[in-house]
Amino acid sequence: MTRPLAADFLRDDPRLEAGRRLMLSALADQQQRLTGIRAADPERKLEYETAIRQFGELRGGELYYPYLGSGIGRGALVELADGSVKYDMISGIGVHYFGHGASTVVAAALDAALCDIVMQGNLQQDRETLGMTRLLTELASRDGARLSHCLLTTSGAMANENALKIALQKKHPASRVLAFEHGFAGRTLALAQITDKAAYRVGLPTTLAVDYVPYFDADRPAESTAAAIAVLRQHLARYPRQHAVMVVELVQGEGGYYAGDRDFFLALLRELRNAGIAIFFDEVQTFGRTTQPFAFQHFGLDEFADLVSIGKLSQLCATLFTHEYQPKPGLVSQTFTAATASLFTGRAIIGALASGDYFGPTGRIQQVHDRFVSRLQEIGRRHPDSIRGPWGLGAMIAFTPFGGSADTVKGLLRALFDEGVIAFLAGSNPTRIRLLPPVGVITDADIDQVCEVVGTVMGKRSLGREASSE
């Protein structure tokens, strides 16, 4: 019989279980103070504004929102250091899938705190790293994808960088990259070149040769598919055998939460496969937010997955790849794999998703989407011309308010923040409001309350626009 490890004795120590119960009980007791939206405490106003200003100065640029958390939240609600309580509908741009203070996540973080190291690394990794890589490869391959390898890392940008390096090494000497118009890949030197936003490249040198392909247009499905294929063929003809990889966003996040279409993707991916170009699905934002764990599974594109990146809700990030794309030694080594707490909490979150009723056409993700869409459409009926879709996909919700000028959207976001709902923007021409609700904890009552606030803000703006036009 195998002799138990000291770590096993520690994890089974009854004192730890008693301590865990006490801490979670204390947290739950204090969370009961957070019952809904609450205005800031006037007595904290000056101190809070000073802290926000100092933080902006220290980081070299002001914060988008005057947001400093107090360190406690309850589900979709979060308390700020000014005493206010708000609904968090952007969840760290998709990171806080189980919201604020979920007992499952906190318990996992407590277990991580007892481990001997804070950061896992390339040379020294604990058993939890093996467990996470096994979980992700099994989840990614369950419908036929051949993603047998998984490299963990600390950020979505690094996961994307690793995928690019693997693809470029495999396809050498081909060095050009294909990407979608209005796409977003990240802000590193290489990824800023791929991201189709010139403002993110101001003052930066050219690092990669990137050719853009138009994205799917749901209002013109056949025409936009034909246009994308035509442009792709033009690129391939102009630069024969020079393209190594195409970065494929199945839902354009920064681009405005526009979803593609299976037929569109099939037509494009078959062209890429015939041309011998690597297919890289960037799922840093879409992972865990469609009707399947991966968006490529949602669209039934498993056979085309050469490389896939994930992040955000997983608490750490990863690059998955097939055996054919296994890199040569030294290409993707790094000091940090992930924080131990990220590994523990990430496994708890993904495990809960995989074993719960989140996926499928009637799963919780689709339920959340449908309820938001229904409530947003009601707002549109009450206030004509105030709000319109498309509404995004799954747990990625978006809408265009009042035509979608950037200034209008920014003003509405600030008004929503002041009224107790935190959202964010996406896209340009039009600029849209996007929501990334914490699906693991959000209730129908939360959704209704959030949409009530949205309706109130939209109604006030609609009345103001009518008054100014008279």
Side-chain angles (χ1 to χ4, degrees):
M1 183 175 178
T2 304
R3 181 179 179 180
L5 298 171
D8 299 326
F9 283 115
L10 176 63
R11 290 177 183 177
D12 294 337
D13 192 309
R15 291 172 295 180
L16 295 186
E17 180 58 30
R20 186 185 295 108
R21 284 198 304 268
L22 282 172
M23 285 187 280
L24 292 175
S25 177
L27 173 62
D29 286 347
Q30 300 309 317
Q31 286 177 323
Q32 297 308 308
R33 299 174 183 271
L34 311 180
T35 58
I37 294 171
R38 186 172 69 203
D41 182 352
E43 295 183 1
R44 297 179 182 272
K45 179 179 174 62
L46 180 60
E47 179 184 0
Y48 190 76
E49 290 179 347
T50 300
I52 291 290
R53 185 175 62 256
Q54 289 177 344
F55 191 14
E57 292 171 352
L58 288 168
R59 69 195 293 268
E62 65 181 26
L63 302 170
Y64 191 88
Y65 287 124
Y67 181 112
L68 282 177
S70 71
I72 191 172
R74 177 171 173 253
L77 293 167
V78 60
E79 181 186 71
L80 304 191
D82 65 356
S84 66
V85 177
K86 302 180 187 294
Y87 273 108
D88 182 6
M89 290 296 108
I90 196 60
S91 57
I93 316 185
V95 177
H96 316 313
Y97 198 88
F98 275 72
H100 299 265
S103 59
T104 300
V105 179
V106 174
L110 290 174
D111 288 341
L114 293 168
C115 288
D116 62 316
I117 51 176
V118 173
M119 295 295 298
Q120 310 282 329
N122 180 49
L123 293 181
Q124 297 177 322
Q125 303 183 79
D126 288 354
R127 291 178 293 182
E128 205 65 23
T129 310
L130 170 61
M132 176 61 94
T133 54
R134 181 183 290 129
L135 175 61
L136 288 174
T137 52
E138 290 175 354
L139 202 60
S141 303
R142 70 178 196 175
D143 295 331
R146 298 178 299 107
L147 297 165
S148 54
H149 301 285
C150 175
L151 180 76
L152 302 181
T153 188
T154 53
S155 73
M158 198 65 232
N160 285 353
E161 285 272 355
N162 285 337
L164 284 172
K165 289 196 296 182
I166 291 170
L168 288 165
Q169 184 183 72
K170 171 68 174 177
K171 297 299 181 178
H172 179 78
S175 60
R176 300 187 75 87
V177 175
L178 290 156
F180 283 123
E181 294 176 357
H182 310 299
F184 179 87
R187 288 185 172 87
T188 65
L189 276 173
L191 299 179
Q193 195 69 45
I194 294 170
T195 295
D196 188 19
K197 195 162 185 176
Y200 293 170
R201 297 192 293 272
V202 173
L204 300 182
T206 299
T207 54
L208 289 171
V210 182
D211 298 308
Y212 296 102
V213 175
Y215 198 67
F216 178 70
D217 184 345
D219 294 328
R220 301 168 49 256
E223 295 89 338
S224 63
T225 300
I229 294 298
V231 171
L232 174 61
R233 288 175 176 172
Q234 288 174 2
H235 291 319
L236 299 185
R238 185 174 185 181
Y239 304 105
R241 296 180 299 280
Q242 294 184 45
H243 292 95
V245 60
M246 181 163 186
V247 182
V248 178
E249 277 188 296
L250 298 167
V251 179
Q252 289 204 316
E254 294 280 329
Y257 275 6
Y258 296 108
D261 171 86
R262 173 173 162 78
D263 291 338
F264 169 80
F265 289 128
L266 282 175
L268 206 67
L269 297 177
R270 284 168 179 160
E271 291 279 336
L272 295 170
R273 185 65 86 223
N274 290 336
I277 296 169
I279 297 168
F280 163 33
F281 293 130
D282 176 356
E283 296 225 27
V284 170
Q285 189 159 173
T286 52
F287 176 61
R289 289 192 171 271
T290 66
T291 62
Q292 299 296 329
F294 292 82
F296 74 78
Q297 295 169 335
H298 170 88
F299 288 105
L301 304 173
D302 302 71
E303 65 181 289
F304 296 101
D306 294 323
L307 305 109
V308 179
S309 62
I310 68 153
K312 293 189 182 289
L313 75 84
S314 50
Q315 308 305 296
L316 45 72
C317 302
T319 308
L320 296 109
F321 50 95
T322 66
H323 185 70
E324 291 83 355
Y325 282 83
Q326 190 168 348
K328 295 177 181 178
L331 182 73
V332 290
S333 180
Q334 56 196 57
T335 301
F336 288 163
T337 294
T340 302
S342 297
L343 282 158
F344 274 72
T345 56
R347 277 196 74 184
I349 290 168
I350 297 172
L353 280 172
S355 62
D357 296 325
Y358 290 93
F359 301 115
T362 61
R364 183 57 183 162
I365 290 171
Q366 191 60 44
Q367 292 173 14
V368 168
H369 178 86
D370 291 343
R371 194 172 190 92
F372 265 111
V373 171
S374 174
R375 297 299 182 266
L376 293 171
Q377 288 173 332
E378 288 177 10
I379 294 170
R381 286 190 289 269
R382 290 201 308 270
H383 307 288
D385 301 322
S386 67
I387 185 173
R388 61 179 174 82
W391 313 107
L393 178 70
M396 296 166 282
I397 318 294
F399 58 91
T400 304
F402 299 112
S405 78
D407 289 342
T408 295
V409 170
K410 290 175 183 177
L412 287 169
L413 287 172
R414 185 54 190 260
L416 286 170
F417 185 86
D418 292 342
E419 293 296 324
V421 171
I422 307 170
F424 200 42
L425 49 75
S428 59
N429 300 317
T431 301
R432 313 183 75 213
I433 290 178
R434 63 169 154 167
L435 309 173
L436 284 163
V439 178
V441 293
I442 196 169
T443 66
D444 288 351
D446 291 331
I447 296 172
D448 294 346
Q449 182 60 44
V450 166
C451 290
E452 183 176 327
V453 174
V454 172
T456 298
V457 170
M458 293 296 169
K460 290 179 180 178
R461 181 58 61 95
S462 183
L463 289 172
R465 289 166 68 93
E466 291 174 5
S468 64
S469 64
E470 292 177 355

